[in-house]
Amino acid sequence: MGPVDSRGMDVADAYELDPEKLPQAIADLEEAYLAAQSLRNRVSRLMEIRPGNGSDEVSINAAVQLNRIAIDESIGSLAKTQRELVDAIGETRDKFKRMLADYLHLEDVNQLPDYDLPAAELPQVVDYWERQAERNGQRSPGGATAI
C-alpha cells in the first residue's frame, strides 16, 4: 500500500493525471527520488555525531539524542522517514510508468492501420437546386413540362 491521507485512503489512488503529462510527472518524481535518496547522507552524518571535547552530561546527552532522532525506529527516526519517503516516491514513480506504458499501448492498439488503397468512388451528392434543374428539363406524365 502506498502513502495514505488522514482518512486512511491510499493517496496514489485518489487522483488522476492527464496521460499526456505523465512523462513530465515521471521526470519530476525521478528528481524527487534522487533528492530523497541524498538525504541518506545527511542522516548518516547525524548518526556519526559523538560527544565533543566536553565530557559533561549535557554534551553527552545531546549526542545521544541526535543519534536517537537519526536512527531510533520507535520514535519515527529520520532514517525511517527518509526510507519511507524514498519508497513512497519510488512506488508512485513506478505506478506512473505503468500508467504511461498502458496508455501508450492503448494508443498503439487503437490506431487505425495504414492501408495503401485507393479511395472509394462515391456518387456525388446532388443538392436541391441541382435536382430542380434536372427536373426542369423533364416532362411529367401528363405531357406538361415540370417547372
Side-chain angles (χ1 to χ4, degrees):
M1 178 178 217
V4 294
D5 66 7
S6 61
R7 298 169 294 172
M9 292 181 61
D10 188 1
V11 175
D13 294 332
Y15 54 85
E16 285 186 27
L17 263 178
D18 179 354
E20 300 294 328
K21 295 182 180 178
L22 276 172
Q24 182 62 52
I26 291 167
D28 292 345
L29 283 170
E30 188 65 40
E31 186 174 330
Y33 184 80
L34 295 173
Q37 282 186 321
S38 74
L39 290 175
R40 181 176 299 139
N41 296 334
R42 291 183 184 174
V43 172
S44 295
R45 284 194 300 272
L46 280 177
M47 291 172 20
E48 294 170 1
I49 292 177
R50 300 287 178 244
N53 292 338
S55 59
D56 61 292
E57 193 174 318
V58 173
S59 297
I60 293 169
N61 187 44
V64 168
Q65 293 305 317
L66 284 173
N67 282 327
R68 184 171 169 247
I69 289 170
I71 62 175
D72 189 351
E73 297 280 330
S74 67
I75 63 167
S77 68
L78 293 174
K80 179 181 178 190
T81 303
Q82 181 270 336
R83 191 172 52 252
E84 289 174 349
L85 178 64
V86 168
D87 291 346
I89 293 172
E91 287 175 20
T92 303
R93 178 200 56 199
D94 294 343
K95 184 174 185 175
F96 283 7
K97 284 181 179 181
R98 287 190 301 273
M99 288 169 60
L100 181 60
D102 291 346
Y103 172 72
L104 292 175
H105 175 70
L106 187 62
E107 285 290 308
D108 288 343
V109 168
N110 288 323
Q111 292 295 320
L112 292 174
D114 291 329
Y115 293 111
D116 191 21
L117 299 173
E121 295 207 16
L122 300 173
Q124 294 295 321
V125 176
V126 178
D127 69 8
Y128 172 80
W129 296 110
E130 289 174 341
R131 281 195 308 268
Q132 288 303 100
E134 285 179 9
R135 289 185 185 145
N136 283 340
Q138 298 175 354
R139 296 192 179 265
S140 63
T145 304
I147 315 178

